[in-house]
Each structure stands twice: as C-alpha cells, then as structure tokens.
Amino acid sequence: MSYPYLSDLINHLFGTNIQLPIAMFGAFVALAIITAAWVGKKEVMRFERLGKLPSTVISGNKSITTHLLVSDLAMICAIFGVIGAHIFHLLEYPRELLQDPIAMIFSLDGLSIYGGLILGAIAGAIFLNKRAVPIIPMLDALAPSIILGYGIGRLGCQVSGDGDWGTAANMAIKPNWLPDWFWTQTYENNVVGTIIPAPGVYPTPLYEALAAFLIFAFLWSIRKTHYKTGFLFSVYLLLSGFERLLIEKIRINSEYHLWGMNFTQAEFISTALIIAGVVGIIKTTNARLLPRIVFSVVVFGALSACAQL
C-alpha cells in the first residue's frame, strides 16, 4: 500500500477522512535534509576540534563558525539538487523530450537522484570554495550524513510509490523464509497512478534504503580511525556506486545504446563513482581498513545476489 499524502496514511490508520496537502515524498526529503544537516554538523564540529577543518571562516564580511555553514550548505545542495535531478531526468528520456519539450521541461514528475547529487555537489563545492573551506576534509566529514539522507529519501520513494520500483518479481526463486512484502509489492494507491498486476514488482527503494543505512553504519564505525584526507569519502563513493550498480539490474530505466552496449544513466554514473572511489582509496589507503572495506563490498554483493537471479 502506498501513501502519496500524509492524510492517506492517517486515514488508513484511524479510519478518518481528512485531507492534508502534505506530500509524503516531500516530507521524507525534508526529513532527510534536516537529519543529514544535523548529523553533518556534529561531524564538522568534531573535525574542527581535531584541526581537520578551520574553526572559523569568512562568510561575506564577517567571520563565522565553520559548522554553522552546514545548514546553508544543505539548503544550497537541496535547491540545486532538485534542479539537477530534473535536468538529468530529461536527459534520460531524450526521445520524449524532443517529442514534447514544453510538457517535459515544465513537468513536476521525474527526478534522477544522481542528477541531484551531481549538481548539488557542484553547487556545494562552489559555496565552500567562496568561503575558503577545505572541500576534501568537508566531504570526509559529510560522507556519512550524505548516505544517511539518501536512505531516508529512498524511504520516501517507497512510502509514496513514486515509480522507482523494480521489474516484475520472480516468485519462483523467493526464499521461503523471506517475507512476501520484502520480495514483491504492488504499490496500491501509488502517487503516479500506475496499476501493478500481482504478484508485483521488486521494492527497490526499500532495498536501496537498507543498503544506504548499512553504508552509513559502516562509515560511522570507521570515521574515528586514522586515515588520510579523502579516504572516507572515497569509501562512500565506492560503496554507494556499487550499491546502485547492483540495484540497476532489477530496476526499470531508460537505456542508452552506444558502441554496441546498452546501459542506463545510473549504471554509467555508478561505474564512474566506483572507479573514482577505488582510485581515491588507493591514493589514501589505510592498510588496516582494507579488509573491512573488502568485506563490506562482499556483503553488499551477497545481499543483492538474490535480486539478480
């Protein structure tokens, strides 16, 4: 069951008939931003105490404590993230864009999470650079909060049923011990109005949320170990790219056809993130943490194996 609006959930739970114009996806995105900003601010404060980030920077004509910039940074990234998400969605469907550009450009439907992350990251980097904040240490500090916010946002996709679900679920290979709701869902009353026939589709937003929370837990567990600047963010790039690359195997997305290869936009970007993560880890490697990173990658592969069968 999906709940496009908060009132849908309240009415389902309590049998009421109220109408609240609060979109569940938007509410989860707001929660993701607030939570990520709060966690990120705490980590930036710790980096300040360790001397990895300056305690104060110049913002405008005044001096400001570095961690106080996190809230503004989150809003800048969120605003440009929405713009980037829509732009990349348009690029994902070039044929439809050429057929009806006005409808596509001004449509409120369709967001590409990677487009949001990329343009949001660019805007955030410009914001930090103008305030002379070291970007790489800040990325290390914010890496856990970024993936945490991503996971919360994916829960919003799951609850509202925004169309980010997977392919038709193969019930013949479902393990008996696994609950049906974790293997397949029909997303009744979903926000896009699509009717999904039984037995349903893979609830990929749920899988991504779970993967994101596991990545967050791992990054959080190693954040206080000794590592070179850029290492933690490189691990984030590797694990988040690997997670999405696996999920793409059971998702429905528009494909590009180039040089005899078929691939989705997310697969291309995920591969780039994995390569960047591997290069970053090699350059900033901490030998003591490598076994744990390898183990984490193997775990994600095992958790996703059933979805790829």
Side-chain angles (χ1 to χ4, degrees):
M1 185 69 177
S2 300
Y3 305 98
Y5 294 93
L6 179 60
S7 54
D8 294 324
L9 177 60
I10 295 175
N11 293 336
H12 177 78
L13 292 176
F14 302 104
T16 54
N17 190 29
I18 63 174
Q19 297 297 323
L20 296 174
I22 301 176
M24 289 295 282
F25 177 72
F28 272 89
V29 169
L31 178 62
I33 295 171
I34 293 171
T35 304
W38 183 80
V39 173
K41 184 179 294 186
K42 295 295 182 183
E43 273 300 280
V44 171
M45 291 173 65
R46 189 175 69 85
F47 271 50
E48 291 174 7
R49 293 193 297 269
L50 294 174
K52 294 183 178 181
L53 284 170
S55 298
T56 59
V57 294
I58 302 300
S59 180
N61 296 321
K62 62 180 180 179
S63 177
I64 185 172
T65 305
T66 302
H67 66 262
L68 295 180
L69 292 174
V70 174
S71 297
D72 291 340
L73 176 63
M75 291 307 302
I76 290 292
C77 291
I79 292 171
F80 282 90
V82 171
I83 296 173
H86 190 57
I87 291 174
F88 273 65
H89 173 72
L90 297 179
L91 295 176
E92 197 170 12
Y93 296 93
R95 182 177 301 175
E96 291 82 351
L97 178 61
L98 291 175
Q99 290 177 346
D100 195 353
I102 300 300
M104 286 289 290
I105 291 172
F106 292 99
S107 171
L108 297 178
D109 298 327
L111 296 173
S112 167
I113 186 63
Y114 272 147
L117 290 175
I118 290 173
L119 193 59
I122 293 173
I126 295 173
F127 174 84
L128 294 174
N129 186 59
K130 286 188 174 182
R131 287 153 184 80
V133 178
I135 294 177
I136 303 302
M138 181 65 86
L139 289 175
D140 279 336
L142 297 179
S145 61
I146 293 172
I147 195 64
L148 176 62
Y150 182 81
I152 296 174
R154 279 306 185 203
L155 286 181
C157 297
Q158 173 65 23
V159 172
S160 64
D162 70 348
D164 286 338
W165 46 69
T167 56
N170 187 345
M171 298 302 292
I173 61 175
K174 186 186 85 68
N176 292 330
W177 53 268
L178 199 66
D180 287 346
W181 59 265
F182 194 78
W183 188 264
T184 181
Q185 294 189 23
T186 55
Y187 290 97
E188 296 177 29
N189 192 45
N190 61 77
V191 70
V192 293
T194 299
I195 298 177
I196 301 175
V201 294
Y202 293 113
T204 49
L206 189 61
Y207 300 157
E208 281 211 85
L210 176 60
F213 295 145
L214 289 175
I215 295 173
F216 167 75
F218 178 70
L219 294 177
W220 195 257
S221 71
I222 67 173
R223 78 191 196 286
K224 292 185 178 180
T225 57
H226 179 70
Y227 56 83
K228 293 181 181 179
T229 302
F231 176 78
L232 198 65
F233 186 69
S234 297
V235 175
Y236 156 76
L237 290 178
L238 172 63
L239 294 179
S240 62
F242 186 69
E243 169 269 317
R244 183 56 186 267
L245 190 63
L246 290 174
I247 288 294
E248 280 297 292
K249 303 303 179 183
I250 56 170
R251 278 192 53 167
I252 301 175
N253 272 325
S254 176
E255 289 187 336
Y256 296 110
H257 308 283
L258 186 65
W259 299 320
M261 297 184 297
N262 299 328
F263 55 89
T264 67
Q265 183 186 97
E267 285 176 329
F268 178 79
I269 298 175
S270 295
T271 302
L273 293 182
I274 292 172
I275 294 172
V278 169
V279 172
I281 290 173
I282 292 174
K283 287 182 173 294
T284 61
T285 187
N286 184 324
R288 291 183 303 157
L289 293 177
L290 279 178
R292 296 172 67 179
I293 296 171
V294 172
F295 175 76
S296 297
V297 173
V298 171
V299 168
F300 282 122
L303 289 176
S304 304
C306 63
Q308 298 182 63
L309 293 176

